[in-house]
């Protein structure tokens, strides 16, 4: 199974951050002879390993959806780290999603989002109450790659 590039980059960043925090914590614990810091570093390694395994399992089981389209509208809520976006798909239909996280998106550009599949369908709720989708990765596409002549 080959991971799409945006997902592979996010997975590599996750592994790198877990390893760097753990290694730096162990080094500082050894230098300062602090056993509490060593235990905390081990905790970071264990919980980070669980998170990385969970992420990899979801991706390998393909528990994500690929959503590709033209970004028509974006509404940013900075305080809650959420983006309400409207995408126009190739067939002309519009899809509205609420994304979790901070991203720099440009209206009028083509994007491909890799989102965690939502398990249950909720009724139409106001934007403030909608659950946000976890973004595994996204990429901006050029106009020539999405539509072939």
């Amino acid at each position: 199974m080959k991971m799409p590039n945006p997902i592979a980059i996010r997975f590599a960043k996750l592994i790198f951050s877990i390893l760097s925090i753990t290694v730096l914590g162990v080094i500082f614990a050894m230098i300062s002879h602090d056993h509490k810091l060593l235990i905390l570093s081990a905790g970071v390694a264990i919980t980070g390993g669980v998170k990385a395994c969970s992420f990899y399992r979801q991706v390998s089981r393909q528990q994500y959806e690929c959503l590709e389209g033209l970004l028509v509208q974006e509404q940013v809520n900075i305080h809650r780290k959420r983006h309400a976006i409207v995408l126009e798909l190739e067939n002309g239909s519009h899809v509205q999603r609420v994304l979790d996280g901070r991203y720099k998106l440009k209206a009028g550009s083509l994007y491909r989002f890799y989102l965690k599949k939502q398990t249950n369908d909720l009724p139409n709720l106001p934007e403030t109450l909608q659950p946000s989708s976890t973004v595994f990765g996204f990429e901006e596409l050029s106009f020539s790659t999405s539509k072939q002549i």
Side-chain angles (χ1 to χ4, degrees):
M1 192 236 26
K2 185 178 183 316
M3 275 191 220
N5 282 341
I7 296 176
I9 290 170
R10 180 160 180 202
F11 184 66
K13 286 179 182 179
L14 177 66
I15 296 294
F16 178 74
S17 63
I18 292 166
L19 286 176
S20 61
I21 291 170
T22 302
V23 168
L24 287 174
V26 168
I27 289 172
F28 286 137
M30 298 293 247
I31 290 172
S32 64
H33 302 291
D34 188 3
H35 297 292
K36 291 178 185 175
L37 187 57
L38 189 62
I39 292 171
L40 287 174
S41 297
V44 167
I46 291 169
T47 56
V50 168
K51 179 162 177 75
C53 288
S54 171
F55 184 86
Y56 181 76
R57 189 174 356 135
Q58 286 178 343
V59 171
S60 65
R61 291 181 182 171
Q62 295 184 348
Q63 294 177 339
Y64 61 90
E65 62 177 325
C66 181
L67 191 61
E68 182 177 330
L70 181 70
L71 183 65
V72 178
Q73 181 183 3
E74 174 191 20
Q75 187 176 19
V76 180
N77 187 342
I78 295 173
H79 303 293
R80 295 188 65 193
K81 294 191 260 183
R82 295 172 68 158
H83 286 261
I85 62 168
V86 176
L87 287 177
E88 181 180 341
L89 305 178
E90 287 183 1
N91 60 7
S93 63
H94 287 77
V95 175
Q96 180 177 356
R97 293 292 169 91
V98 178
L99 307 179
D100 187 27
R102 292 186 177 148
Y103 309 103
K104 293 182 181 179
L105 304 173
K106 295 180 276 188
S109 298
L110 284 173
Y111 287 98
R112 181 180 298 139
F113 293 96
Y114 298 96
L115 306 172
K116 181 178 179 180
K117 283 187 182 176
Q118 293 184 355
T119 55
N120 54 0
D121 292 327
L122 296 173
N124 289 338
L125 297 172
E127 189 269 326
T128 56
L129 298 177
Q130 287 182 0
S132 58
S133 299
T134 302
V135 179
F136 284 155
F138 74 95
E139 57 188 336
E140 185 176 357
L141 305 172
S142 64
F143 282 99
S144 63
T145 60
S146 68
K147 296 185 180 183
Q148 297 179 2
I149 298 175

